[in-house]
Amino acid sequence: MRKTVDGRAKSVRGDILAAARELFAEKGYRDTTVREIARRAGANGAAVNYYFRSKDALYEAVFDEAFETFGRPLGDLVGSVRDQATWRAALEKWFDFMLGLFLLDDPRQALVRRLVAQERSSPTEFCRRIYDGVFVPVVDVFRALLRMALPDEPAESFQAQFATLLGMCTCFIHRDPPWDEIILCPAMEREAWVRTLRDQIVATIVARYSFRTSRVAPR
Amino acid sequence: MRKTVDGRAKSVRGDILAAARELFAEKGYRDTTVREIARRAGANGAAVNYYFRSKDALYEAVFDEAFETFGRPLGDLVGSVRDQATWRAALEKWFDFMLGLFLLDDPRQALVRRLVAQERSSPTEFCRRIYDGVFVPVVDVFRALLRMALPDEPAESFQAQFATLLGMCTCFIHRDPPWDEIILCPAMEREAWVRTLRDQIVATIVARYSFRTSRVAPR
DNA sequence: GTCTATATGCTGATAGAC
DNA sequence: GTCTATCAGCATATAGAC
């Protein structure tokens, strides 16, 4: 029964991992049961605890797999800036990446988004791992870009501008119904909506800020 | 045992409601148990289901009480606008209200913020009630204010600007550790931080937008 | 009104047959 | 490896003593 048509043994472990990926993304850690995972994987309830030590360990496996290659596409965005034009281009690329992550429903990215969303309002023990390992490094790229426009801004004032501008994209992490109604645009294709949002965010930023120096102090 | 020192009968019902308020705000509906509520209220486990029909009904009671007077302080903000100065003042008042709600730890407002935060990533059946009855009306005030600067903007483009600017304050709904590190400012008093954020948000807005007409089309 | 005791169901985890 | 059967624990909810 656990054989495919061509006779190869199917990976029950893989099926369970895939089902867990979907369910943890949909409902979060706490509201997902191992029975449910097993049912969706077409496996037995005991198989989950056989292949993975526990529900906890399974969540960790899903977690690590999801965030393994996260942030890679950004490359050396900070180092690419030389003047106003390249600064603006870097901003566009950064918000494109973030908005794509939050709004496009690529399965892998959807998992990252949902896990982050769940961990934001109901942190588990793995929350630190997302925050320090993934969120902070990516967000620090934007911090560095903003510093280039405000090299001498005092810490508190800089932090206020950084936090509020960051919110222009992070607000899209949470878009389950009915909250999507207020921040999405059903009339547009999702890719076009991402481009529109990115253009508006960057337009808002360049209306107030402009490139001054690429020699920026650290945080 | 359920008497106070002065002999008045204490309201067990009131104690349970207060305990439920705290716990639902701290941990959300799903992660709070009726046993825990009863323990914190100093009441018996059965008392919860005696005074309230069920855990569900208790949540509903907490809910309705919390949102009863919400949004009242805003008054007729839209009607107060006549020119650039009053438009800017209305924006300041609106963001002051929202940021105060999200960042100041007034007990009643903290409850509203936490309930909204919980409902954003794990909606319950009451989510619609928050969304339609509370969130949309308050946010529509900002929509109307933004329309005054963009009376002829096409729907899609307007929606993109509205959604991203709104994110500059809604991002503060979620600030449980460790996420607070990136958006708060431990060096400042909370009230001063709210004023700083409000000033920066309004400065970002007026750098790009300005008042044009108070005769705005509906959504 | 307030309590103890308990019914009923679902959770994560495991023992042991095959 | 994969299954069935079952464990102990905790959840909400209720019946009935006082």
Side-chain angles (χ1 to χ4, degrees):
Chain A
M1 194 191 181
R2 299 238 40 85
K3 304 276 181 183
T4 54
V5 263
D6 55 65
R8 285 191 311 104
K10 270 186 71 181
S11 166
V12 179
R13 197 192 131 97
D15 291 348
I16 291 172
L17 198 60
R21 216 163 22 221
E22 292 172 22
L23 285 166
F24 286 143
E26 280 170 30
K27 329 200 308 175
Y29 178 76
R30 287 181 237 265
D31 292 338
T32 301
T33 67
V34 297
R35 281 167 166 72
E36 209 175 354
I37 294 169
R39 194 178 341 118
R40 185 173 297 198
N44 186 273
V48 173
N49 282 355
Y50 173 78
Y51 286 104
F52 304 87
R53 199 171 33 79
S54 63
K55 184 188 175 187
D56 249 62
L58 174 56
Y59 186 61
E60 191 172 359
V62 168
F63 221 80
D64 290 345
E65 187 201 39
F67 289 101
E68 209 170 46
T69 58
F70 180 80
R72 226 43 84 65
L74 273 180
D76 182 28
L77 214 48
V78 175
S80 73
V81 180
R82 299 174 153 273
D83 51 20
Q84 175 71 16
T86 48
W87 181 71
R88 182 176 179 144
L91 284 174
E92 281 176 359
K93 197 171 170 195
W94 193 84
F95 281 102
D96 230 14
F97 171 73
M98 292 295 268
L99 292 167
L101 174 67
F102 297 150
L103 289 163
L104 303 180
D105 288 321
D106 171 86
R108 187 167 218 99
Q109 294 184 326
L111 176 61
V112 169
R113 179 182 72 83
R114 290 305 314 254
L115 290 178
V116 170
Q118 296 286 351
E119 293 288 339
R120 284 231 299 176
S121 50
S122 298
T124 71
E125 55 170 321
F126 301 114
C127 192
R128 260 286 157 203
R129 194 181 300 193
I130 289 185
Y131 183 77
D132 291 336
V134 173
F135 194 73
V136 168
V138 169
V139 159
D140 272 348
V141 172
F142 176 61
R143 193 196 307 268
L145 292 176
L146 187 62
R147 257 298 175 207
M148 294 176 181
L150 298 167
D152 303 316
E153 193 79 358
E156 291 82 6
S157 165
F158 180 83
Q159 172 71 0
Q161 294 172 71
F162 167 71
T164 53
L165 293 174
L166 185 64
M168 291 200 294
C169 71
T170 54
C171 62
F172 295 100
I173 292 176
H174 300 275
R175 53 180 183 80
D176 294 298
W179 308 97
D180 57 340
E181 291 173 17
I182 221 153
I183 54 171
L184 295 189
C185 187
M188 289 180 82
E189 292 292 324
R190 198 56 68 84
E191 286 81 5
W193 181 235
V194 167
R195 284 194 300 274
T196 303
L197 289 170
R198 175 250 284 159
D199 289 342
Q200 293 296 348
I201 291 174
V202 173
T204 296
I205 292 177
V206 298
R208 185 175 180 200
Y209 307 90
S210 53
F211 175 78
R212 293 179 61 189
T213 174
S214 63
R215 297 205 156 266
V216 291
R219 308 174 61 163
Chain B
M1 193 193 178
R2 300 238 37 87
K3 305 274 182 184
T4 55
V5 263
D6 56 67
R8 284 191 310 106
K10 271 186 69 181
S11 166
V12 179
R13 196 193 132 96
D15 291 347
I16 290 171
L17 199 58
R21 214 161 27 219
E22 292 171 23
L23 285 166
F24 285 143
E26 282 170 28
K27 328 200 308 174
Y29 177 77
R30 289 180 235 264
D31 291 338
T32 301
T33 68
V34 298
R35 286 186 214 301
E36 210 175 355
I37 293 169
R39 194 177 343 118
R40 184 173 298 198
N44 186 274
V48 173
N49 283 353
Y50 173 76
Y51 287 105
F52 304 87
R53 197 171 35 78
S54 63
K55 184 189 176 188
D56 250 61
L58 174 55
Y59 186 62
E60 190 172 0
V62 168
F63 220 82
D64 290 344
E65 188 201 39
F67 290 101
E68 208 170 48
T69 58
F70 179 82
R72 225 46 82 67
L74 273 180
D76 182 27
L77 214 48
V78 174
S80 72
V81 179
R82 298 175 153 272
D83 51 19
Q84 174 72 15
T86 50
W87 180 71
R88 182 176 178 142
L91 283 174
E92 279 175 0
K93 198 172 168 194
W94 193 84
F95 281 102
D96 231 12
F97 170 73
M98 292 296 269
L99 292 167
L101 173 68
F102 297 151
L103 289 163
L104 302 179
D105 288 321
D106 170 87
R108 187 167 219 100
Q109 293 185 325
L111 176 60
V112 169
R113 179 183 71 83
R114 291 303 315 255
L115 289 178
V116 171
Q118 295 286 351
E119 293 289 338
R120 284 231 298 176
S121 49
S122 298
T124 71
E125 54 171 322
F126 301 115
C127 192
R128 258 288 158 202
R129 194 181 300 193
I130 290 186
Y131 184 77
D132 291 336
V134 174
F135 194 74
V136 167
V138 170
V139 158
D140 272 348
V141 173
F142 175 61
R143 192 197 306 269
L145 293 175
L146 186 62
R147 256 297 175 209
M148 293 174 181
L150 298 167
D152 303 316
E153 193 79 0
E156 291 81 6
S157 164
F158 181 84
Q159 172 71 0
Q161 294 172 73
F162 167 72
T164 53
L165 293 174
L166 186 64
M168 291 199 294
C169 71
T170 53
C171 62
F172 296 99
I173 293 176
H174 299 276
R175 53 181 184 79
D176 294 298
W179 307 98
D180 56 340
E181 293 173 15
I182 221 154
I183 54 170
L184 296 189
C185 186
M188 288 180 84
E189 292 294 322
R190 198 57 68 84
E191 285 81 5
W193 180 235
V194 166
R195 284 194 301 275
T196 303
L197 289 170
R198 175 251 284 159
D199 289 342
Q200 293 296 347
I201 291 174
V202 173
T204 297
I205 292 176
V206 298
R208 185 175 180 199
Y209 307 90
S210 54
F211 175 79
R212 294 180 59 188
T213 175
S214 64
R215 298 206 157 264
V216 291
R219 309 176 56 164

